[in-house]
Amino acid sequence: MEFGAEEFDPDAALWVRGVDYVMGWAAARDAAAELGAALVSAGLEASGVRLRAGSAADGSGWCGWSCRRRRPWR
């Protein structure tokens, strides 16, 4: 499989000197913790929620979540 130049973004793969990735990640981690608390308050089981935090190419943080669905036949 070959990748064209337009498909590869070196900024997304390499860290750049002077960009504070840790600060973005730490802010995203805090936001993910708040999101997790809100989801549990809304009735989701904590064991079924997966929270993720990271930093983007520009140093900004991001967080996301996914929920494992229980299969009723198990």
Side-chain angles (χ1 to χ4, degrees):
M1 175 181 263
E2 292 185 29
F3 294 99
E6 67 276 1
E7 295 176 18
F8 178 70
D9 181 8
D11 291 332
L14 304 172
W15 283 15
V16 178
R17 183 179 305 219
V19 177
D20 190 354
Y21 297 100
V22 175
M23 182 182 283
W25 170 80
R29 183 194 59 198
D30 294 344
E34 289 180 28
L35 175 61
L39 292 172
V40 169
S41 293
L44 264 62
E45 289 185 32
S47 63
V49 176
R50 180 177 178 220
L51 300 169
R52 296 182 60 206
S55 59
D58 65 356
S60 62
W62 60 265
C63 69
W65 69 285
S66 60
C67 185
R68 285 181 284 182
R69 229 172 71 179
R70 291 188 180 189
R71 294 189 176 116
W73 58 86
R74 286 189 184 186

